[in-house]
Amino acid sequence: MNSIPNFFSRSAILVSLIITFQACNLTTETYRFAYKDEGVNKQIMTEMKGILEDEFHNVVIDLKEVNQPIDELEELAKGGTDFLLIENYSTDSKANISTAFLAYPKFLHVFYRDVGAMPSNFGDLIAGKKIYLEHPNSAEMVILQDLAVFYRAGGSYELTADMAEADVVLDLSSFLTEDDLTNLSGFQLFSFDDVSKFGQGSQVEGISLKLHRLQPYIIPEGTYGNLTEKAKLTLELDMVMLANEDIGLIAVNDLIKTVLRHKQSFVSIDPILFIGLDEQFDRSRLSYPLHPGSRAYLDREEPGFFERYAELAGVILSILIASISGLISFKKYRKQHKKDLVDVFYRELMDIKNEPPKTIKGCVETIQRIKDSQNKAFDMLIDEKLAADESFRIYMELCKETITEIRLRMRALKSVSA
């Protein structure tokens, strides 16, 4: 009798528990992160994998090392990769790619052979020179081409894969290590302009005005020993985490919040990690627009309760609908089952009506048999095995009617025998 209230009471408790413990997601989500193993990238991604898998028990992070992140953009656009750590200097306007967050800045280190006075500008530096790049399909290559156009240097330079014969070396990295500096013995560090001109229309300001993803940066005096006896003026480029646009708002929003909540773990890898991840940065500098989850975080528009739990609510609603449907089906089954049991009693009465007893003794036994069936039916009604519905009432009336018919038959048999 109380099955429906009890069902909804239990369902309410279940819903409360699922919402309270949001980790109870039934499915495991796998996210694929791609990066190039250079600088601190591998440390960043390994740390991120550990933190995310610890925080979200239903999340698995697959890390993929790639030779050139630029080549991975196609996979990112198609969904074969979910996140890609890459320089914010892509000229490939692929659809379905967005920016999740700024990771850290890189600085353009331009080295030249120490053959006397420093060239007056970058155009003169590369004119007729052999330039070493680690990989021709890289952000350094795109920057070199853009700077050559800016300085009208055209194609007056050539590339070389041998640093020993190079006149100029381009290196885009966060900071150079002692090993890097040893390999660059015999080179001087180029400055795009005198630091004193910064803020007064220096060359780097002109470059950043035209090539807006590049920003001016001053390498402080003493950073690289003798190479920086004076501060050097160069260019900065952000490393960004790109995301496939189909990744959900909640997933990207949670990614950013989790990374920043554990920022101290990343600062121990490199102090400049995530320093530009705030609402103040110039979004027009991005090669790809911000992901909606990133915008929600930076604009302080946190996902609402129903938005955050929409998927979970859908699962709960499906469970509730299935449970209610099951309950209705079960009630229909019980009702049909009870009717089937009443039909057994009906069948017994119909057999008696079709073949009435032929002796007085048979009549007495049949009346008792009907009364026993009535008592059994009442016991089943009390135990809720039968329903007190119209079928039961008709059965009882039919019992009375059959007993009356048998008694009349018994009187007739007595009169004949007398």
Side-chain angles (χ1 to χ4, degrees):
M1 299 287 286
N2 297 320
S3 59
I4 293 179
N6 286 340
F7 167 77
F8 283 108
S9 177
R10 294 190 192 100
S11 298
I13 294 172
L14 175 63
V15 171
S16 299
L17 285 173
I18 293 176
I19 292 177
T20 302
F21 301 103
Q22 63 168 322
C24 295
N25 290 338
L26 301 178
T27 58
T28 297
E29 296 289 341
T30 300
Y31 295 100
R32 298 166 294 271
F33 284 73
Y35 67 99
K36 183 180 180 182
D37 183 12
E38 63 176 6
V40 295
N41 288 354
K42 188 168 187 175
Q43 289 175 270
I44 294 171
M45 302 306 289
T46 302
E47 184 71 20
M48 192 177 297
K49 170 182 169 70
I51 288 172
L52 292 173
E53 290 182 343
D54 284 345
E55 289 261 334
F56 304 95
H57 84 285
N58 62 317
V59 167
V60 174
I61 305 297
D62 282 345
L63 298 182
K64 177 184 178 182
E65 287 185 8
V66 296
N67 290 327
Q68 279 304 312
I70 288 178
D71 299 334
E72 194 69 14
L73 285 171
E74 185 69 39
E75 279 299 303
L76 182 67
K78 293 189 298 186
T81 296
D82 297 314
F83 294 92
L84 174 63
L85 187 61
I86 190 173
E87 293 89 353
N88 179 43
Y89 212 74
S90 173
T91 57
D92 195 340
S93 57
K94 291 184 181 298
N96 213 36
I97 295 179
S98 57
T99 303
F101 57 81
L102 301 182
Y104 63 92
K106 275 186 167 185
F107 312 108
L108 182 63
H109 299 87
V110 180
F111 292 90
Y112 64 97
R113 290 285 179 188
D114 187 7
V115 291
M118 185 179 77
S120 61
N121 62 56
F122 185 80
D124 293 340
L125 178 73
I126 64 173
K129 300 296 194 304
K130 291 183 178 180
I131 301 176
Y132 172 82
L133 296 175
E134 184 180 0
H135 197 287
N137 188 23
S138 62
E140 286 98 327
M141 184 67 215
V142 181
I143 292 173
L144 172 61
Q145 292 170 337
D146 285 344
L147 289 177
V149 172
F150 180 84
Y151 284 99
R152 296 178 175 82
S156 61
Y157 58 85
E158 62 178 289
L159 302 180
T160 177
D162 185 0
M163 188 182 291
E165 66 176 23
D167 301 306
V168 178
V169 174
L170 266 61
D171 182 278
L172 189 63
S173 57
S174 52
F175 285 106
L176 299 176
T177 65
E178 287 300 323
D179 289 340
D180 295 328
L181 296 176
T182 300
N183 293 333
L184 290 162
S185 177
F187 285 87
Q188 290 294 317
L189 185 59
F190 177 76
S191 181
F192 279 82
D193 211 335
D194 193 292
V195 174
S196 62
K197 293 183 180 179
F198 182 64
Q200 300 178 30
S202 62
Q203 291 182 30
V204 288
E205 290 168 287
I207 293 169
S208 63
L209 187 65
K210 186 96 177 266
L211 309 174
H212 62 282
R213 297 185 187 98
L214 298 171
Q215 296 297 305
Y217 182 77
I218 298 174
I219 300 176
E221 184 178 320
T223 302
Y224 300 127
N226 293 334
L227 290 174
T228 49
E229 289 180 352
K230 292 183 178 180
K232 304 292 183 180
L233 192 54
T234 187
L235 297 162
E236 171 192 328
L237 177 66
D238 292 318
M239 285 290 286
V240 293
M241 185 70 81
L242 299 183
N244 180 282
E245 210 164 57
D246 293 335
I247 300 296
L249 180 151
I250 302 298
V252 174
N253 190 268
D254 285 347
L255 169 63
I256 296 174
K257 288 194 295 186
T258 304
V259 164
L260 291 184
R261 193 162 58 246
H262 293 270
K263 189 174 180 179
Q264 190 58 42
S265 300
F266 294 99
V267 168
S268 64
I269 298 173
D270 194 324
I272 63 174
L273 288 178
F274 311 122
I275 59 172
L277 188 54
D278 58 46
E279 64 272 19
Q280 304 300 326
F281 83 94
D282 182 3
R283 302 180 190 185
S284 67
R285 288 161 44 192
L286 297 175
S287 298
Y288 296 98
L290 271 177
H291 189 282
S294 307
R295 287 201 302 271
Y297 173 80
L298 294 171
D299 296 339
R300 301 296 186 261
E301 296 175 357
E302 290 297 304
F305 178 86
F306 289 106
E307 190 174 15
R308 176 169 289 279
Y309 295 104
E311 184 177 350
L312 186 59
V315 173
I316 295 171
L317 182 61
S318 298
I319 293 172
L320 286 175
I321 291 173
S323 300
I324 293 170
S325 298
L327 179 63
I328 293 172
S329 298
F330 180 69
K331 287 178 67 66
K332 287 182 178 179
Y333 164 77
R334 287 288 304 273
K335 184 177 181 181
Q336 183 62 44
H337 182 63
K338 290 177 181 181
K339 182 180 180 304
D340 292 342
L341 290 176
V342 171
D343 289 345
V344 172
F345 290 103
Y346 273 117
R347 206 172 297 116
E348 184 180 21
L349 282 177
M350 296 309 297
D351 291 342
I352 293 172
K353 279 181 168 292
N354 292 332
E355 293 186 17
K358 296 181 174 55
T359 64
I360 294 173
K361 181 181 179 182
C363 288
V364 173
E365 290 174 349
T366 299
I367 290 172
Q368 186 58 48
R369 180 177 155 198
I370 293 173
K371 289 182 177 180
D372 289 343
S373 293
Q374 282 182 304
N375 291 334
K376 182 179 178 181
F378 273 112
D379 289 338
M380 292 177 71
L381 181 67
I382 293 170
D383 293 339
E384 295 188 355
K385 294 179 181 179
L386 290 179
D389 55 11
E390 188 68 11
S391 296
F392 186 83
R393 188 187 66 76
I394 293 172
Y395 168 70
M396 288 300 170
E397 292 294 330
L398 191 57
C399 284
K400 291 178 184 178
E401 178 185 309
T402 306
I403 290 174
T404 300
E405 290 176 358
I406 294 173
R407 282 176 175 164
L408 291 173
R409 185 175 181 80
M410 188 168 61
R411 288 192 191 121
L413 290 172
K414 283 181 180 180
S415 63
V416 171
S417 62

